[in-house]
């Protein structure tokens, strides 16, 4: 059953140095507040997993929290590159960063395999790309029924999955809606999970197309209003586009980034 706790206590209990950590959310409900708490608590040597690492992973990488990134696309949406990510890969600053690159379909299927208790996923993707030459976790496999050559990718089972949602009830049941990405699969695949929420309510009212995570699949819930800012939370607040634009200059310069980190996060 999920415990209702503070963000600081949840990160201290669930996220450890050397863990594989997935912070998922697509376009909205990106768990920025949780990522900042990981930075404040000084976690190191993390393997960060995310289908679309954007600003929060740029910040975690620049803060020296990560040793490896498993991903399918990385950038500042609508703006350009992630400069802390680039600096870590190209110049090992502040620490070297290993990368493991997949396609979106490959990452999604890896989460599904992990959530299903399977060792790997099979798909037709990657054919005609150079990714299998660059990524050891992409392997050809022969279909035992047709003889067709397909692609296998190993399941993802993060030590910790962290997501943001609109609301939870006092028993720790979670409800999220809008663009839901792979949050459900990430939580079900992970050994431990943290959900930050906009509000805690007495009763979860039914909503069309909402995803409900029962309390027994969630480790901890933390009440963190605006926990997805500068991304948005559908029906709660809009995307802060100016933040994304401003980040390009902040992330581009090491000294400016370190000043931002000290003043805004730490």
């Amino acid at each position: 059953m999920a415990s209702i706790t503070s963000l600081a206590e949840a990160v201290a209990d669930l996220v450890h140095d050397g863990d594989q950590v997935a912070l998922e959310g697509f376009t909205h409900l990106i768990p920025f507040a949780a990522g900042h708490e990981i930075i404040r608590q000084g976690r190191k040597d993390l393997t960060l997993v995310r289908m679309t690492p954007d600003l929060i992973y740029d910040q975690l990488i620049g803060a020296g929290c990560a040793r490896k990134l498993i991903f399918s696309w990385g950038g500042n949406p609508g703006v350009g590159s992630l400069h802390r990510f680039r600096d870590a890969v190209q110049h090992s600053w502040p620490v070297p960063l290993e990368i493991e690159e997949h396609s979106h379909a490959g990452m999604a299927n890896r989460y599904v395999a992990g959530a299903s208790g399977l060792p790997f996923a099979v798909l037709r993707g990657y054919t005609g790309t150079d990714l299998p030459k660059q990524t050891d976790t992409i392997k050809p496999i022969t279909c035992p029924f047709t003889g067709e050559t397909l692609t296998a990718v190993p399941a993802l089972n993060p030590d910790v999955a962290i997501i943001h949602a609109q609301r939870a009830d006092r028993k720790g049941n979670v409800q999220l809606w809008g663009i839901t990405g792979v949050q459900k699969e990430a939580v079900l695949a992970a050994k431990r999970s943290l959900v930050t929420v906009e509000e805690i309510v007495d009763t979860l009212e039914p909503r069309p197309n909402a995803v409900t995570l029962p309390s027994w699949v969630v480790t901890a819930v933390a009440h963190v209003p605006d926990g997805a800012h500068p991304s948005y939370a559908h029906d709660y607040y809009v995307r802060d586009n100016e933040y994304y634009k401003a980040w390009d200059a902040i992330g581009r310069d090491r000294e400016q980034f370190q000043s931002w980190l000290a003043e805004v996060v730490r």
Side-chain angles (χ1 to χ4, degrees), residues 94-158:
V95 293
L97 183 71
E98 180 185 350
I99 60 172
E100 180 182 323
E101 187 175 0
H102 282 268
S103 67
H104 282 343
M107 287 290 290
N109 277 276
R110 293 186 70 186
Y111 275 124
V112 170
S116 303
L118 297 172
F120 63 90
V122 178
L123 64 158
R124 285 194 171 93
Y126 300 104
T127 302
T129 76
D130 285 335
L131 277 175
K133 298 177 183 178
Q134 308 299 325
T135 303
D136 290 338
T137 49
I138 302 171
K139 301 292 184 183
I141 189 170
T142 302
C143 174
F145 304 105
T146 66
E148 181 183 0
T149 298
L150 302 169
T151 303
V153 288
L156 276 170
N157 293 105

Side-chain angles (χ1 to χ4, degrees), residues 211-229:
V211 171
T212 300
L213 296 171
S215 176
W216 53 268
V217 304
V218 176
T219 309
V221 172
H223 182 210
V224 187
D226 298 326
H229 179 269

Side-chain angles (χ1 to χ4, degrees), residues 40-113:
R40 279 192 292 273
Q41 295 195 18
R43 293 295 178 269
K44 302 293 183 185
D45 299 319
L46 301 177
T47 295
L48 296 177
V49 185
R50 181 165 161 78
M51 284 186 62
T52 54
D54 55 6
L55 272 57
I56 188 57
Y57 273 36
D58 209 30
Q59 294 162 5
L60 284 158
I61 290 166
C65 298
R67 70 166 187 85
K68 182 177 180 178
L69 177 66
I70 300 174
F71 73 112
S72 53
W73 175 90
N76 184 343
V79 179
S81 292
L82 296 175
H83 301 291
R84 294 301 91 226
F85 176 21
R86 291 177 66 96
D87 205 4
V89 172
Q90 294 176 336
H91 306 114
S92 299
W93 191 94
V95 293
L97 183 71
E98 180 185 350
I99 60 172
E100 180 182 323
E101 187 175 0
H102 282 268
S103 67
H104 282 343
M107 287 290 290
N109 277 276
R110 293 186 70 186
Y111 275 124
V112 170

Side-chain angles (χ1 to χ4, degrees), residues 19 25 35-36 38 47 68 96 126 144 164 167 182 207 241:
D19 275 352
H36 291 166
I38 291 171
T47 295
K68 182 177 180 178
Y126 300 104
H164 189 71
R167 61 193 180 192
V182 293
R207 284 189 65 96
N241 291 318

Side-chain angles (χ1 to χ4, degrees), residues 10 16 21 30 32 67 77 101 117 187 211 222 260:
H16 312 132
V21 183
I30 299 171
F32 273 86
R67 70 166 187 85
E101 187 175 0
V187 168
V211 171
W260 174 89

Side-chain angles (χ1 to χ4, degrees), residues 227-239:
H229 179 269
S231 76
Y232 71 99
H234 187 70
D235 287 333
Y236 285 77
Y237 45 89
V238 300
R239 187 178 192 265

Side-chain angles (χ1 to χ4, degrees), residues 155-169:
L156 276 170
N157 293 105
D159 294 303
V160 192
I162 301 174
I163 67 170
H164 189 71
Q166 281 95 337
R167 61 193 180 192
D169 66 18

